[in-house]
Amino acid sequence: MPARPALELGEQFDAVVDDTSLAALGAYSRLARGWTPEPMPVPTLLVRATRPPPPAEGWQPTSWPAPCATADVLGDHWSVIEKEAHTTAGAISSWLMGLGRR
């Protein structure tokens, strides 16, 4: 389970996160375990954060196991969909617009 929410919420964590949400997170984690994506007949974009979350070692995927384009965006694993969401959305939008020009 990611530690970030617990660290940010501190003592409020117990009031915000209940047994049901923890069980759901565990179930979700089991669903993805051992999954390998298969090539798809549609264009795919791998969006990668440019800043590492701690610990930084081995933090950024270099590729996706199926054919894809990549877009490096500002932020770390969390901020690309929070503080830097506008930048991430812009990178995805630019990629999508480029698909229409083919």
Side-chain angles (χ1 to χ4, degrees), residues 57-94:
E57 194 171 334
W59 66 276
Q60 188 181 48
T62 56
S63 65
W64 182 251
C68 68
T70 58
D72 292 335
V73 297
L74 295 176
D76 60 32
H77 178 78
W78 299 106
S79 66
V80 296
I81 59 171
E82 294 172 350
K83 293 177 188 170
E84 301 294 345
H86 62 285
T87 306
T88 304
I92 295 169
S93 180
S94 293

Side-chain angles (χ1 to χ4, degrees), residues 31-42:
L31 286 173
R33 190 179 302 139
W35 175 74
T36 303
E38 296 179 15
M40 299 192 58
V42 297

